[in-house]
Amino acid sequence: MNHTDPVRQALTRLVESGTLRAEQLEPVLVAVNDALRARGAAGRVRWSEIVAYVGGGLVLAGAATFVGLGWDRMTVPARVVVLTVVTALLLGVAAGLGWSARSATGRAGAVQHRVAATLAALGSGTAALCAGVVADRYETLLAGVVGLSVAAAGYALLPAAIGLLAGGILALVAVTGLLEVLAPQGGAALGAGYIVLGTLILALALGGRLVPRGLALGMGAAIALFGGQWPLLWEEKVWGYSVTAVIALICLALYTRERTWVLIVAGVAGLTLAIPEAVWHWTDGAVGGAVILVLAGVVLLAASGLGVLLHRRTAQARPVS
């Protein structure tokens, strides 16, 4: 829709009434028309982005259907060829869009960047599957390392939330595979590996190495809490709830520095798990499930109150950036 004539007429009337000076008419006209064009562009559906996402999804869906129907009948080389082709296709399109996004400007460049990052993240997943099929042993470790390498490269070239999420998941797979090699008999000590991984992600996020910062902090806290709970699976109850409580308190303490709501959620969730677990262990289960539920609710309310208190104190200490 052409807004030039009515806008010019309205501005001309303002000049005639003395509200605007004659020399101001053209600059104001250009600014108003630019704003109207930007508003119209913002309201348009991003069909190119939607089509790209659908295309990537169809490639994966088709590959998954093909593999699902004939996976058992396929030889290992055939499986490798299928996964390699899908991976190469995803990463090739991602590379092309990423290169195009560098030369594009404005909204078009941002759309291409997001699509490329999404396809690169999907490609890291199929690369991990391909590596797992190729491996004769240590399949989880090899799949995790290969997938993480591809995800890290994609994230370095195309930083985005989807790439960070893919990297976190594949890092978890790689650490799991490493722990299976180092401690094949299992045990509560396996949780230490997950705690180290979560701590590393938190440190990288705090150092500004990972973006979006909030997602990285939440992912690191979640993995660390998972590691804290791991000893409970191996009857090491004291270690389980003690470590979980410590991690939860660290998350709440970090909130005083990083005003990110995910740290409060992690802290509250950790305390809500750890305290009822401790009471159950101390009483040898005598308190009963109903009492534990009530206690969990009380702890949740208390931890939430603590989170609100921290938020208020931090808000008073410095303005929201």
Side-chain angles (χ1 to χ4, degrees):
M1 180 178 180
N2 187 356
H3 298 275
T4 302
D5 290 340
V7 171
R8 179 180 289 277
Q9 292 172 5
L11 293 177
T12 300
R13 287 194 295 270
L14 291 177
V15 172
E16 293 173 350
S17 65
T19 304
L20 285 178
R21 294 194 300 271
E23 63 270 18
Q24 293 177 323
L25 189 147
E26 289 301 327
V28 173
L29 178 63
V30 172
V32 171
N33 284 328
D34 287 345
L36 290 173
R37 282 193 294 269
R39 181 181 178 183
R44 290 197 295 269
V45 178
R46 299 171 180 174
W47 290 110
S48 59
E49 186 174 6
I50 294 174
V51 169
Y53 288 143
V54 172
L58 288 176
V59 169
L60 284 180
T65 302
F66 177 77
V67 169
L69 292 176
W71 187 259
D72 293 336
R73 297 189 296 272
M74 293 171 64
T75 62
V76 172
R79 296 174 183 177
V80 173
V81 169
V82 170
L83 291 173
T84 300
V85 170
V86 173
T87 301
L89 180 60
L90 290 171
L91 296 180
V93 175
L97 285 175
W99 180 266
S100 177
R102 291 189 174 187
S103 58
T105 57
R107 177 171 165 269
V111 169
Q112 292 176 359
H113 182 96
R114 284 196 299 270
V115 174
T118 301
L119 296 180
L122 294 174
S124 67
T126 56
L129 291 174
C130 184
V133 170
V134 172
D136 292 330
R137 55 186 304 191
Y138 306 139
E139 293 89 349
T140 304
L141 176 60
L142 184 59
V145 170
V146 171
L148 178 59
S149 300
V150 176
Y155 177 76
L157 296 173
L158 300 162
I162 185 65
L164 178 61
L165 185 61
I169 293 173
L170 290 168
L172 195 59
V173 173
V175 169
T176 300
L178 179 62
L179 294 174
E180 288 177 353
V181 174
L182 298 179
Q185 302 303 318
L190 293 177
Y194 299 124
I195 295 174
V196 170
L197 174 61
T199 302
L200 176 60
I201 294 175
L202 283 170
L204 290 174
L206 292 172
R209 300 292 184 179
L210 299 177
V211 291
R213 195 184 188 94
L215 176 60
L217 290 171
M219 188 163 56
I223 293 175
L225 287 173
F226 173 72
Q229 287 286 288
W230 188 266
L232 291 169
L233 301 177
W234 303 91
E235 301 301 325
E236 296 289 344
K237 296 182 174 60
V238 176
W239 278 106
Y241 59 73
S242 299
V243 173
T244 299
V246 170
I247 294 172
L249 293 174
I250 290 174
C251 289
L252 292 176
L254 284 175
Y255 179 77
T256 61
R257 171 184 169 179
E258 298 292 326
R259 296 176 57 189
T260 304
W261 63 269
V262 293
L263 293 175
I264 284 187
V265 172
V268 170
L271 292 178
T272 305
L273 287 171
I275 294 178
E277 288 168 353
V279 173
W280 180 274
H281 180 244
W282 294 338
T283 61
D284 199 21
V287 294
V291 176
I292 288 295
L293 288 176
V294 172
L295 179 60
V298 172
V299 172
L300 180 60
L301 290 174
S304 300
L306 177 60
V308 172
L309 180 62
L310 286 173
H311 176 75
R312 289 180 178 175
R313 288 186 175 180
T314 308
Q316 293 172 356
R318 56 177 179 175
V320 179
S321 56

